[in-house]
C-alpha cells in the first residue's frame, strides 16, 4: 500500500501547526509535527510530546524509537545532528537537489542520513498504524532530503501567510510550553529580520516545485477562513478519498483528538475544542510605518500570492 509524506514548507508562525492538526484528524493520517527538531528537542532535551508527557516517557514515541533504533540509546543524536548540519548547509543546495553533483563522500553521508530517516519515518507509520505522515518541519532542504526516501512519496504543501502577520507574530512574547523544566520563550525578531527571512524561506520553498514531484501553494488566510474547503483541497491534491469532516462541530469549530505531535505552536497543548479564525491582530496593532516597511521588503511574494491583486495562488495539483 502506498505510503506518503505531506511536507509543509514555509516560514514559522505561518499556520503549519493548525494545518498539521487538522490533517491528523483523518483516518490513516499521522500528525508528526516538526520531525527535523526531534534529534535535539526529543532525543537530547526530552521536550514534551503533545500528549503532555516528556517524549521519553510517552508510550507512543518509546515504541517508535524501539522499533527504529532499538531504544533511545541505540543511536547517537549528536552524530545525527552533526550530519544534518553538514548536509543541510545552504551551499550544498545544488548537490542535495541534483545527486549527479555529489562527491562520493557527500553521497555516503547523505545515504547514512536517509537510512536513519527511513527507519524513523517507517517506524512512526508502523506504530501509528497509518500510511500518511504529516511533517511540518518547513525547511525546504530537509524536504528535498525526504523526497529521496525510498518507498515514501512526498507531497509538498507550501503554506504562506501575509508577511505582516508573520512579522507581528515574531515580536510576541510566547512561552515554549514543551520546555517543561524551565520557562523559555520563543525566539523574537525585529520586523525587518522577519520580513527578510520570510522572503528567503518563501523563495526556497517555491523552488520545491522544481525539486519535488508534487507541489501546491496554500494561503494561511484561506485555511483559517475556510478550513473544510482547504482540507478537502489538500486531500484531493495527494490523491486520496474525500476527507471525513465529522470532527467539525461547526463550520469554524473542531474537536481535536489526542495526538503525539512533536514541535510546533503552543496552541497544540491548549483546549481540545478549537475555534478556527484568522489571526489578523497585526492589522490593528502594527503601525502604518511598520506595515509599510514589511510590505516594501516582501512585496514580490505578496504580489505573487494575491495579497494585493496579483497572481492568485495555485489551487490545484502541480507536478514537475
Amino acid at each position: 500500500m502506498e505510503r506518503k509524506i505531506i511536507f509543509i514548507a514555509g516560514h514559522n508562525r505561518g499556520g503549519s501547526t493548525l494545518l498539521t492538526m487538522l490533517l491528523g484528524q483523518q483516518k490513516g493520517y499521522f500528525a508528526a509535527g516538526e520531525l527535523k527538531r526531534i534529534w535535539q528537542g526529543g532525543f537530547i532535551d526530552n521536550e514534551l510530546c503533545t500528549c503532555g508527557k516528556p517524549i521519553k516517557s510517552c508510550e507512543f514515541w518509546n515504541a517508535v524509537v524501539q522499533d527504529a533504533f532499538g531504544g533511545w540509546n541505540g543511536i547517537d543524536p549528536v552524530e545525527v545532528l552533526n550530519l544534518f548540519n553538514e548536509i543541510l548547509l545552504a551551499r550544498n543546495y545544488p548537490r542535495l537537489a541534483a545527486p549527479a553533483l555529489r562527491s562520493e563522500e557527500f553521497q555516503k553521508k547523505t545515504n547514512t542520513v536517509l537510512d536513519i530517516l527511513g527507519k524513523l519515518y517507517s517506524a512512526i507509520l508502523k506504530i501509528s498504524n497509518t500510511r500518511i505522515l504529516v511533517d511540518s518541519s518547513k525547511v525546504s532542504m530537509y524536504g528535498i532530503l525526504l523526497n529521496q526516501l525510498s518507498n515514501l512519496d512526498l507531497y509538498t504543501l507550501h503554506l504562506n501567510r501575509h508577511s505582516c502577520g508573520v512579522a507581528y507574530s515574531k515580536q510576541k512574547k510566547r512561552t515554549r510550553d514543551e520546555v517543561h523544566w524551565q520557562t523559555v520563550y520563543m525566539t523574537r525578531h525585529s520586523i525587518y529580520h522577519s520580513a527578510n527571512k520570510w522572503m528567503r524561506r518563501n523563495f526556497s520553498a517555491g523552488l520545491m516545485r522544481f525539486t519535488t514531484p508534487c507541489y501546491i501553494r496554500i494561503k494561511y488566510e484561506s485555511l483559517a477562513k475556510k478550513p473544510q474547503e482547504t482540507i478537502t483541497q489538500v486531500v484531493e491534491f495527494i490523491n486520496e478519498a474525500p476527507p471525513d469532516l465529522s470532527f467539525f462541530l461547526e463550520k469554524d469549530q473542531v474537536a481535536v483528538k489526542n495526538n503525539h505531535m512533536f514541535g510546533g505552536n503552543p496552541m497544540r497543548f491548549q483546549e481540545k475544542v478549537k475555534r478556527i479564525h484568522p489571526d489578523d491582530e497585526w492589522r490593528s496593532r502594527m503601525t502604518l510605518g511598520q506595515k509599510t516597511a514589511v510590505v516594501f521588503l516582501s512585496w514580490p511574494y505578496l504580489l505573487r500570492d494575491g495579497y494585493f491583486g496579483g497572481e492568485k495562488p495555485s489551487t490545484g495539483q502541480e507536478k514537475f
Side-chain angles (χ1 to χ4, degrees):
M1 185 175 292
E2 186 180 18
R3 301 187 303 169
K4 303 176 180 180
I5 298 175
I6 300 175
F7 180 74
I8 302 177
H11 200 298
N12 297 330
R13 312 290 180 91
S16 61
T17 299
L18 173 62
L19 180 56
T20 301
M21 293 179 70
L22 293 180
L23 289 171
Q25 304 308 299
Q26 302 300 307
K27 183 178 181 181
Y29 293 62
F30 182 76
E34 300 176 356
L35 291 182
K36 181 179 180 293
R37 287 194 58 252
I38 199 168
W39 305 102
Q40 179 67 54
F43 281 78
I44 296 175
D45 295 337
N46 196 27
E47 294 174 358
L48 291 182
C49 169
T50 303
C51 71
K53 297 179 181 179
I55 190 170
K56 292 183 179 179
S57 300
C58 170
E59 292 83 358
F60 173 80
W61 285 108
N62 268 289
V64 166
V65 174
Q66 181 64 39
D67 186 82
F69 309 115
W72 296 98
N73 295 322
I75 190 168
D76 185 343
V78 175
E79 288 186 3
V80 177
L81 282 172
N82 288 337
L83 277 172
F84 273 122
N85 291 337
E86 185 173 349
I87 290 173
L88 298 181
L89 288 172
R91 67 170 182 261
N92 287 330
Y93 190 100
R95 291 197 289 179
L96 195 63
L101 300 177
R102 298 173 188 171
S103 65
E104 183 177 346
E105 181 183 3
F106 188 85
Q107 184 63 62
K108 183 178 179 180
K109 292 178 180 179
T110 302
N111 289 342
T112 299
V113 168
L114 289 174
D115 179 65
I116 292 168
L117 292 178
K119 291 177 179 177
L120 176 64
Y121 282 64
S122 294
I124 291 172
L125 292 173
K126 175 183 175 182
I127 301 302
S128 64
N129 193 29
T130 58
R131 62 181 187 85
I132 301 172
L133 184 151
V134 188
D135 186 324
S136 54
S137 293
K138 292 179 283 296
V139 178
S140 60
M141 288 183 70
Y142 184 74
I144 294 172
L145 192 62
L146 294 181
N147 186 52
Q148 298 170 41
L149 291 175
S150 59
N151 302 318
L152 286 169
D153 294 327
L154 188 79
Y155 292 79
T156 301
L157 303 187
H158 179 177
L159 181 64
N160 201 9
R161 181 186 182 186
H162 197 294
S163 54
C164 286
V166 171
Y168 177 74
S169 181
K170 293 289 283 186
Q171 288 189 305
K172 286 185 175 182
K173 187 176 182 179
R174 293 182 176 177
T175 57
R176 290 186 56 207
D177 296 342
E178 65 271 21
V179 182
H180 53 93
W181 59 93
Q182 62 181 349
T183 300
V184 176
Y185 295 94
M186 299 177 75
T187 304
R188 301 166 71 188
H189 292 296
S190 71
I191 60 171
Y192 307 102
H193 179 282
S194 296
N196 280 310
K197 191 168 183 179
W198 183 90
M199 282 290 291
R200 295 197 304 270
R201 278 289 186 94
N202 278 290
F203 174 75
S204 60
L207 290 179
M208 292 190 73
R209 70 191 300 167
F210 306 109
T211 55
T212 57
C214 299
Y215 168 100
I216 192 173
R217 282 204 315 273
I218 293 175
K219 290 167 68 174
Y220 158 77
E221 291 79 7
S222 299
L223 170 66
K225 291 177 181 178
K226 298 181 179 180
Q228 295 187 41
E229 290 87 341
T230 303
I231 295 303
T232 300
Q233 177 188 354
V234 171
V235 172
E236 289 177 350
F237 164 65
I238 66 170
N239 298 315
E240 292 293 325
D244 176 10
L245 301 175
S246 60
F247 65 98
F248 277 87
L249 305 178
E250 298 177 16
K251 187 175 182 180
D252 62 348
Q253 192 176 65
V254 296
V256 179
K257 64 186 179 183
N258 292 331
N259 62 77
H260 295 283
M261 284 180 62
F262 181 81
N265 191 288
M267 67 171 288
R268 70 189 191 278
F269 291 111
Q270 297 166 4
E271 66 278 356
K272 296 304 179 183
V273 175
K274 301 182 185 296
R275 189 170 294 278
I276 303 172
H277 58 86
D279 180 3
D280 55 3
E281 186 179 344
W282 64 270
R283 295 183 182 277
S284 59
R285 293 298 184 90
M286 292 181 76
T287 67
L288 179 60
Q290 289 175 322
K291 294 176 187 176
T292 301
V294 174
V295 169
F296 177 77
L297 292 170
S298 57
W299 68 266
Y301 289 137
L302 291 175
L303 181 67
R304 179 200 66 183
D305 286 349
Y307 281 106
F308 38 73
E311 176 195 342
K312 293 183 179 179
S314 48
T315 55
Q317 180 171 342
E318 301 181 36
K319 293 186 177 180
F320 296 88

